[in-house]
Amino acid sequence: MLAAQDNYRDRVFHFLDVIKGSRNCLIVTHNNPDPDAVASAYGLAHLFKTKFKKEAVIAYKGIVGRAENRALIDVLQIDMAKFYKLNVKKFDCVILVDTQFTAHNHPLKSPPDAVIDHHNIIKTESQIPHVDFRPEYGACSTIITEYLVIAGVDLTPQVATALFYGIKTDTRDLSRKRTDADVEAYQFLFPLVDRESLAKIEYPKLPIEYFRSFYRALENTELYDGVVISKLGDLHRPDLVAEIAELMLRLEGARFAIAIGFYRKDLYLSFRTEAPEEADAALVVREIVGDMGSAGGHNVMAGAFIPNVPVEKRDELIGQIVERLLSMLLPENKKLRKSKLV
Ligand SMILES: [Mn+2]
Protein backbone atom coordinates (compact mmCIF):
# COMPACT_ATOMS: atom_id res chain seq x y z
CA MET A 1 0.00 0.00 0.00
CA LEU A 2 2.83 2.36 0.82
CA ALA A 3 5.66 1.44 -1.51
CA ALA A 4 7.98 4.04 -0.02
CA GLN A 5 7.69 2.41 3.39
CA ASP A 6 9.89 -0.48 2.28
CA ASN A 7 12.98 1.71 2.34
CA TYR A 8 12.57 2.37 6.02
CA ARG A 9 10.94 -0.81 7.32
CA ASP A 10 13.96 -1.69 9.48
CA ARG A 11 13.92 1.69 11.17
CA VAL A 12 10.34 1.16 12.31
CA PHE A 13 11.12 -2.26 13.75
CA HIS A 14 14.11 -0.74 15.49
CA PHE A 15 11.86 1.93 16.98
CA LEU A 16 9.34 -0.65 18.18
CA ASP A 17 12.23 -2.54 19.78
CA VAL A 18 13.46 0.56 21.58
CA ILE A 19 10.07 1.50 23.03
CA LYS A 20 8.50 -1.89 23.69
CA GLY A 21 9.89 -2.32 27.21
CA SER A 22 8.74 1.07 28.50
CA ARG A 23 5.63 1.58 30.63
CA ASN A 24 4.78 5.18 29.90
CA CYS A 25 5.93 7.49 27.23
CA LEU A 26 6.34 11.23 26.89
CA ILE A 27 6.14 12.61 23.35
CA VAL A 28 7.55 16.11 22.97
CA THR A 29 7.15 18.42 19.98
CA HIS A 30 9.07 21.56 19.04
CA ASN A 31 8.01 24.77 20.81
CA ASN A 32 4.86 26.50 19.53
CA PRO A 33 3.93 23.31 17.66
CA ASP A 34 2.50 23.46 14.14
CA PRO A 35 -0.02 20.94 12.72
CA ASP A 36 2.72 18.60 11.50
CA ALA A 37 4.26 18.44 14.99
CA VAL A 38 0.89 17.98 16.72
CA ALA A 39 -0.22 15.30 14.25
CA SER A 40 3.08 13.42 14.49
CA ALA A 41 2.90 13.33 18.28
CA TYR A 42 -0.76 12.32 18.17
CA GLY A 43 -0.04 9.49 15.72
CA LEU A 44 2.77 8.17 17.89
CA ALA A 45 0.61 8.36 21.03
CA HIS A 46 -1.98 6.32 19.14
CA LEU A 47 0.67 3.75 18.21
CA PHE A 48 1.79 3.52 21.82
CA LYS A 49 -1.73 3.11 23.15
CA THR A 50 -3.03 0.60 20.62
CA LYS A 51 0.06 -1.48 19.91
CA PHE A 52 1.43 -1.63 23.45
CA LYS A 53 -1.62 -0.66 25.53
CA LYS A 54 0.52 1.86 27.35
CA GLU A 55 0.23 5.41 28.51
CA ALA A 56 1.47 8.19 26.23
CA VAL A 57 1.41 11.88 27.03
CA ILE A 58 2.02 14.63 24.48
CA ALA A 59 3.74 17.75 25.80
CA TYR A 60 4.94 21.03 24.37
CA LYS A 61 6.35 24.36 25.40
CA GLY A 62 5.00 27.66 24.13
CA ILE A 63 1.73 28.49 22.49
CA VAL A 64 -0.54 27.08 19.83
CA GLY A 65 -1.94 30.33 18.55
CA ARG A 66 -3.04 30.07 14.94
CA ALA A 67 -6.79 29.49 14.79
CA GLU A 68 -6.47 26.47 12.46
CA ASN A 69 -3.90 24.86 14.75
CA ARG A 70 -6.06 25.43 17.80
CA ALA A 71 -9.00 23.95 15.91
CA LEU A 72 -6.94 20.85 15.06
CA ILE A 73 -6.45 20.20 18.78
CA ASP A 74 -10.00 21.14 19.81
CA VAL A 75 -11.96 19.44 17.03
CA LEU A 76 -10.03 16.16 17.26
CA GLN A 77 -9.82 16.44 21.07
CA ILE A 78 -6.08 15.88 21.17
CA ASP A 79 -4.70 15.92 24.71
CA MET A 80 -1.69 18.22 24.84
CA ALA A 81 0.01 18.95 28.17
CA LYS A 82 2.16 21.96 29.00
CA PHE A 83 5.68 20.65 29.41
CA TYR A 84 6.48 22.64 32.54
CA LYS A 85 3.56 21.04 34.39
CA LEU A 86 5.00 17.54 33.98
CA ASN A 87 7.69 15.67 35.79
CA VAL A 88 9.83 14.23 32.99
CA LYS A 89 11.38 11.70 35.41
CA LYS A 90 8.00 9.99 35.72
CA PHE A 91 8.37 8.71 32.15
CA ASP A 92 10.66 5.86 31.19
CA CYS A 93 10.53 6.72 27.50
CA VAL A 94 10.84 10.14 25.88
CA ILE A 95 10.38 10.78 22.15
CA LEU A 96 11.04 14.02 20.31
CA VAL A 97 9.18 14.67 17.05
CA ASP A 98 9.38 17.17 14.18
CA THR A 99 12.64 18.59 15.51
CA GLN A 100 16.09 17.44 16.66
CA PHE A 101 17.69 17.35 20.07
CA THR A 102 20.41 19.79 19.03
CA ALA A 103 17.88 22.23 17.51
CA HIS A 104 17.22 23.96 20.87
CA ASN A 105 13.61 24.70 19.98
CA HIS A 106 12.17 22.21 22.46
CA PRO A 107 12.16 21.96 26.26
CA LEU A 108 14.20 18.75 26.73
CA LYS A 109 17.35 19.07 28.83
CA SER A 110 18.69 15.55 28.34
CA PRO A 111 18.71 13.36 25.22
CA PRO A 112 15.46 11.47 24.55
CA ASP A 113 15.16 7.77 23.67
CA ALA A 114 14.03 8.49 20.13
CA VAL A 115 13.98 11.37 17.66
CA ILE A 116 11.91 11.35 14.49
CA ASP A 117 12.27 14.35 12.22
CA HIS A 118 12.33 15.63 8.65
CA HIS A 119 14.24 18.92 9.04
CA ASN A 120 17.71 19.41 7.64
CA ILE A 121 20.11 17.43 9.78
CA ILE A 122 21.97 19.62 12.25
CA LYS A 123 24.17 16.93 13.74
CA THR A 124 24.15 13.13 13.93
CA GLU A 125 22.79 12.32 17.37
CA SER A 126 24.71 9.15 18.21
CA GLN A 127 23.89 9.22 21.94
CA ILE A 128 20.19 8.67 21.17
CA PRO A 129 19.04 5.02 20.81
CA HIS A 130 16.61 5.62 17.92
CA VAL A 131 17.22 8.34 15.38
CA ASP A 132 15.12 8.59 12.22
CA PHE A 133 15.98 11.68 10.19
CA ARG A 134 14.51 12.00 6.70
CA PRO A 135 15.30 15.53 5.54
CA GLU A 136 13.99 14.78 2.06
CA TYR A 137 10.44 14.21 3.40
CA GLY A 138 7.91 17.03 3.23
CA ALA A 139 6.25 16.20 6.51
CA CYS A 140 7.02 14.35 9.72
CA SER A 141 3.40 13.15 9.56
CA THR A 142 4.38 11.09 6.51
CA ILE A 143 7.05 9.28 8.54
CA ILE A 144 4.57 8.64 11.35
CA THR A 145 1.96 7.35 8.88
CA GLU A 146 4.54 4.83 7.67
CA TYR A 147 5.29 3.84 11.28
CA LEU A 148 1.62 3.13 11.93
CA VAL A 149 1.17 1.14 8.73
CA ILE A 150 4.33 -0.92 9.22
CA ALA A 151 3.47 -1.53 12.89
CA GLY A 152 0.10 -2.83 11.73
CA VAL A 153 -1.91 -0.28 13.71
CA ASP A 154 -5.38 0.72 12.50
CA LEU A 155 -5.94 4.44 12.20
CA THR A 156 -8.96 6.13 13.74
CA PRO A 157 -10.62 8.86 11.64
CA GLN A 158 -9.17 11.39 14.13
CA VAL A 159 -5.60 10.16 13.71
CA ALA A 160 -5.97 9.99 9.92
CA THR A 161 -7.41 13.51 9.82
CA ALA A 162 -4.58 14.92 11.94
CA LEU A 163 -1.85 13.24 9.89
CA PHE A 164 -3.48 14.27 6.64
CA TYR A 165 -3.67 17.88 7.79
CA GLY A 166 -0.05 17.70 8.96
CA ILE A 167 1.09 16.65 5.49
CA LYS A 168 -1.25 19.12 3.80
CA THR A 169 0.09 22.13 5.71
CA ASP A 170 3.79 21.26 5.77
CA THR A 171 3.82 20.58 2.01
CA ARG A 172 1.21 23.21 1.14
CA ASP A 173 -1.04 20.60 -0.45
CA LEU A 174 1.94 18.70 -1.84
CA SER A 175 3.03 21.76 -3.78
CA ARG A 176 6.41 22.19 -2.09
CA LYS A 177 9.17 19.99 -0.73
CA ARG A 178 7.55 16.61 -1.14
CA THR A 179 8.63 13.12 -2.01
CA ASP A 180 6.72 10.16 -3.43
CA ALA A 181 6.35 9.03 0.16
CA ASP A 182 4.40 12.20 1.06
CA VAL A 183 2.11 11.75 -1.94
CA GLU A 184 1.49 8.12 -1.07
CA ALA A 185 0.76 8.83 2.58
CA TYR A 186 -1.58 11.65 1.56
CA GLN A 187 -3.46 9.33 -0.79
CA PHE A 188 -3.52 6.55 1.79
CA LEU A 189 -4.98 8.86 4.44
CA PHE A 190 -7.45 10.70 2.22
CA PRO A 191 -10.31 8.12 2.33
CA LEU A 192 -9.88 7.73 6.10
CA VAL A 193 -10.24 11.46 6.83
CA ASP A 194 -13.29 12.80 8.66
CA ARG A 195 -14.31 15.45 6.13
CA GLU A 196 -16.48 17.38 8.53
CA SER A 197 -13.74 17.68 11.14
CA LEU A 198 -11.24 18.68 8.46
CA ALA A 199 -13.52 21.49 7.28
CA LYS A 200 -13.85 22.77 10.84
CA ILE A 201 -10.06 22.75 11.18
CA GLU A 202 -9.38 24.49 7.87
CA TYR A 203 -12.02 27.19 8.25
CA PRO A 204 -12.23 28.04 11.93
CA LYS A 205 -13.75 31.16 13.46
CA LEU A 206 -11.09 33.84 13.77
CA PRO A 207 -10.59 36.02 16.85
CA ILE A 208 -10.72 39.81 16.42
CA GLU A 209 -7.03 39.92 17.31
CA TYR A 210 -6.36 38.10 14.05
CA PHE A 211 -7.83 40.93 11.97
CA ARG A 212 -6.03 43.57 14.02
CA SER A 213 -2.68 41.81 13.57
CA PHE A 214 -3.39 41.33 9.90
CA TYR A 215 -4.10 45.05 9.49
CA ARG A 216 -0.86 45.97 11.29
CA ALA A 217 1.04 43.48 9.15
CA LEU A 218 -0.24 45.04 5.93
CA GLU A 219 0.77 48.49 7.14
CA ASN A 220 4.25 47.37 8.15
CA THR A 221 5.30 45.40 5.10
CA GLU A 222 8.07 46.62 2.80
CA LEU A 223 8.90 45.44 -0.68
CA TYR A 224 12.38 45.21 -2.18
CA ASP A 225 12.27 43.62 -5.63
CA GLY A 226 10.80 40.25 -4.85
CA VAL A 227 11.77 40.39 -1.17
CA VAL A 228 8.85 41.09 1.14
CA ILE A 229 9.68 42.07 4.71
CA SER A 230 7.01 42.40 7.39
CA LYS A 231 8.04 44.04 10.65
CA LEU A 232 5.28 43.09 13.01
CA GLY A 233 6.43 44.63 16.30
CA ASP A 234 4.74 43.02 19.31
CA LEU A 235 2.97 39.75 18.54
CA HIS A 236 -0.02 38.49 20.46
CA ARG A 237 1.22 34.98 19.66
CA PRO A 238 4.61 33.79 18.38
CA ASP A 239 3.37 31.71 15.44
CA LEU A 240 1.92 34.78 13.73
CA VAL A 241 5.26 35.33 11.94
CA ALA A 242 4.88 32.04 10.07
CA GLU A 243 1.33 32.82 9.06
CA ILE A 244 2.20 36.28 7.75
CA ALA A 245 5.33 35.14 5.89
CA GLU A 246 3.28 32.39 4.28
CA LEU A 247 0.65 34.90 3.19
CA MET A 248 3.12 37.49 1.88
CA LEU A 249 4.85 34.94 -0.33
CA ARG A 250 1.59 34.85 -2.27
CA LEU A 251 2.09 38.45 -3.36
CA GLU A 252 2.66 38.62 -7.11
CA GLY A 253 6.37 38.81 -7.84
CA ALA A 254 7.42 37.76 -4.32
CA ARG A 255 10.27 35.26 -4.21
CA PHE A 256 11.15 35.66 -0.54
CA ALA A 257 8.95 36.62 2.40
CA ILE A 258 10.22 37.36 5.88
CA ALA A 259 8.16 38.26 8.93
CA ILE A 260 9.80 39.45 12.15
CA GLY A 261 8.18 40.20 15.48
CA PHE A 262 8.53 40.01 19.23
CA TYR A 263 6.64 37.81 21.60
CA ARG A 264 7.35 38.98 25.14
CA LYS A 265 11.15 39.55 25.14
CA ASP A 266 12.02 37.21 22.30
CA LEU A 267 12.43 37.83 18.60
CA TYR A 268 10.73 35.46 16.17
CA LEU A 269 11.50 35.36 12.47
CA SER A 270 9.92 33.33 9.73
CA PHE A 271 11.28 32.92 6.23
CA ARG A 272 9.53 31.53 3.16
CA THR A 273 10.82 31.24 -0.36
CA GLU A 274 9.84 29.78 -3.69
CA ALA A 275 13.37 30.22 -5.00
CA PRO A 276 15.42 27.85 -2.80
CA GLU A 277 17.97 27.49 -5.60
CA GLU A 278 18.76 31.20 -5.17
CA ALA A 279 18.85 31.11 -1.38
CA ASP A 280 18.17 28.10 0.83
CA ALA A 281 15.82 29.25 3.64
CA ALA A 282 17.39 27.17 6.41
CA LEU A 283 20.91 28.35 5.51
CA VAL A 284 19.84 31.99 5.27
CA VAL A 285 18.22 32.09 8.71
CA ARG A 286 21.13 30.29 10.30
CA GLU A 287 23.54 32.77 8.75
CA ILE A 288 21.47 35.74 9.89
CA VAL A 289 21.02 34.67 13.48
CA GLY A 290 24.54 33.32 13.94
CA ASP A 291 25.17 32.71 17.64
CA MET A 292 22.55 35.23 18.80
CA GLY A 293 19.85 32.55 18.91
CA SER A 294 18.65 29.40 17.20
CA ALA A 295 17.50 28.77 13.66
CA GLY A 296 16.47 25.89 11.47
CA GLY A 297 14.04 24.58 8.91
CA HIS A 298 13.95 23.39 5.34
CA ASN A 299 15.09 24.84 2.03
CA VAL A 300 11.77 26.63 1.38
CA MET A 301 10.64 27.46 4.91
CA ALA A 302 12.62 28.21 8.03
CA GLY A 303 12.43 30.04 11.31
CA ALA A 304 14.66 31.73 13.84
CA PHE A 305 14.48 32.75 17.45
CA ILE A 306 16.59 35.23 19.41
CA PRO A 307 15.91 35.27 23.15
CA ASN A 308 15.91 38.27 25.48
CA VAL A 309 16.20 41.27 23.21
CA PRO A 310 16.07 44.48 25.32
CA VAL A 311 13.35 46.82 24.08
CA GLU A 312 15.84 49.62 23.36
CA LYS A 313 17.88 47.26 21.15
CA ARG A 314 14.97 46.05 19.01
CA ASP A 315 15.17 48.59 16.19
CA GLU A 316 18.91 48.23 15.86
CA LEU A 317 18.65 44.43 15.73
CA ILE A 318 15.87 44.50 13.12
CA GLY A 319 17.92 46.95 11.07
CA GLN A 320 20.89 44.57 11.20
CA ILE A 321 18.79 41.56 10.25
CA VAL A 322 17.16 43.33 7.31
CA GLU A 323 20.54 44.59 6.13
CA ARG A 324 22.00 41.06 6.24
CA LEU A 325 18.97 39.58 4.55
CA LEU A 326 19.00 42.01 1.67
CA SER A 327 22.71 41.62 1.06
CA MET A 328 22.22 37.85 0.87
CA LEU A 329 19.08 37.91 -1.28
CA LEU A 330 19.55 40.82 -3.66
CA PRO A 331 22.38 42.05 -5.82
CA GLU A 332 23.91 45.27 -4.48
CA ASN A 333 22.23 47.66 -6.97
CA LYS A 334 18.68 46.58 -6.18
CA LYS A 335 18.82 47.00 -2.46
CA LEU A 336 17.64 50.58 -2.25
CA ARG A 337 14.45 50.22 -4.27
CA LYS A 338 12.04 49.97 -1.41
CA SER A 339 8.29 50.53 -1.36
CA LYS A 340 5.45 49.99 1.07
CA LEU A 341 2.91 47.24 0.50
CA VAL A 342 -0.01 49.56 1.28
MN1 LIG B 1 7.24 19.45 10.07
Side-chain angles (χ1 to χ4, degrees):
M1 198 174 309
L2 295 174
Q5 72 187 24
D6 280 341
N7 307 331
Y8 292 106
R9 192 167 274 275
D10 291 348
R11 289 200 197 176
V12 181
F13 291 129
H14 181 260
F15 173 74
L16 296 174
D17 239 26
V18 166
I19 64 167
K20 71 168 184 252
S22 51
R23 289 183 317 278
N24 54 12
C25 182
L26 179 65
I27 303 164
V28 180
T29 67
H30 58 71
N31 298 341
N32 309 313
D34 60 11
D36 187 40
V38 171
S40 297
Y42 185 45
L44 273 185
H46 177 69
L47 186 148
F48 229 79
K49 284 174 191 168
T50 50
K51 179 108 186 151
F52 299 105
K53 306 275 179 283
K54 284 166 192 170
E55 195 58 41
V57 173
I58 303 171
Y60 71 104
K61 183 182 166 187
I63 284 185
V64 180
R66 187 169 179 165
E68 290 86 342
N69 304 0
R70 285 238 53 86
L72 171 70
I73 292 168
D74 294 342
V75 171
L76 302 178
Q77 298 182 305
I78 301 176
D79 280 326
M80 304 267 297
K82 287 280 192 181
F83 184 84
Y84 72 89
K85 290 187 179 165
L86 299 172
N87 179 3
V88 184
K89 294 197 185 86
K90 256 186 49 201
F91 298 89
D92 60 2
C93 171
V94 179
I95 304 173
L96 186 64
V97 289
D98 201 29
T99 184
Q100 293 164 34
F101 183 63
T102 46
H104 302 298
N105 61 347
H106 60 79
L108 293 179
K109 295 278 178 283
S110 42
D113 301 283
V115 191
I116 301 169
D117 186 37
H118 72 122
H119 290 85
N120 291 350
I121 298 171
I122 302 170
K123 220 169 129 185
T124 48
E125 302 188 337
S126 50
Q127 79 281 37
I128 296 169
H130 179 77
V131 176
D132 190 348
F133 291 160
R134 306 188 199 175
E136 70 281 13
Y137 273 42
C140 195
S141 296
T142 299
I143 307 178
I144 302 301
T145 303
E146 292 185 16
Y147 272 51
L148 290 165
V149 171
I150 292 168
V153 173
D154 284 335
L155 276 67
T156 62
Q158 288 79 13
V159 170
T161 306
L163 291 167
F164 182 79
Y165 190 61
I167 298 172
K168 200 170 191 295
T169 51
D170 253 30
T171 64
R172 206 165 62 187
D173 269 305
L174 301 177
S175 72
R176 72 180 168 201
K177 199 199 177 209
R178 51 134 207 289
T179 57
D180 291 348
D182 296 299
V183 178
E184 278 190 25
Y186 187 97
Q187 286 170 337
F188 166 76
L189 293 166
F190 186 75
L192 307 174
V193 166
D194 180 318
R195 311 291 315 160
E196 213 168 295
S197 296
L198 184 64
K200 283 187 192 151
I201 294 164
E202 292 193 291
Y203 306 101
K205 282 284 189 188
L206 299 165
I208 194 161
E209 198 46 59
Y210 171 84
F211 294 94
R212 291 177 178 160
S213 308
F214 186 72
Y215 179 75
R216 273 201 304 277
L218 296 179
E219 277 189 320
N220 293 297
T221 295
E222 297 163 353
L223 314 174
Y224 303 80
D225 287 303
V227 183
V228 185
I229 300 181
S230 305
K231 300 172 186 171
L232 305 177
D234 278 308
L235 306 165
H236 71 286
R237 54 182 172 83
D239 54 3
L240 187 69
V241 285
E243 197 170 347
I244 297 296
E246 189 96 38
L247 173 71
M248 292 304 172
L249 190 63
R250 292 177 58 187
L251 178 69
E252 270 184 323
R255 285 174 301 128
F256 304 99
I258 299 98
I260 314 169
F262 294 89
Y263 181 71
R264 300 190 176 139
K265 290 180 184 154
D266 308 325
L267 179 143
Y268 286 82
L269 180 150
S270 186
F271 187 108
R272 294 285 186 281
T273 180
E274 51 182 40
E277 66 293 342
E278 278 180 59
D280 179 295
L283 297 181
V284 169
V285 291
R286 215 164 287 162
E287 178 84 27
I288 285 167
V289 168
D291 50 15
M292 290 188 289
S294 57
H298 315 277
N299 62 342
V300 292
M301 57 195 281
F305 169 82
I306 301 176
N308 284 317
V309 180
V311 176
E312 66 277 10
K313 293 271 188 232
R314 282 183 177 189
D315 288 349
E316 188 190 327
L317 179 60
I318 298 237
Q320 253 176 39
I321 289 174
V322 170
E323 179 68 26
R324 277 194 213 173
L325 266 170
L326 292 176
S327 61
M328 291 172 83
L329 301 177
L330 291 179
E332 207 57 37
N333 59 344
K334 281 191 176 176
K335 259 198 281 179
L336 293 173
R337 262 189 265 154
K338 159 177 154 184
S339 61
K340 299 278 280 180
L341 176 68
V342 293

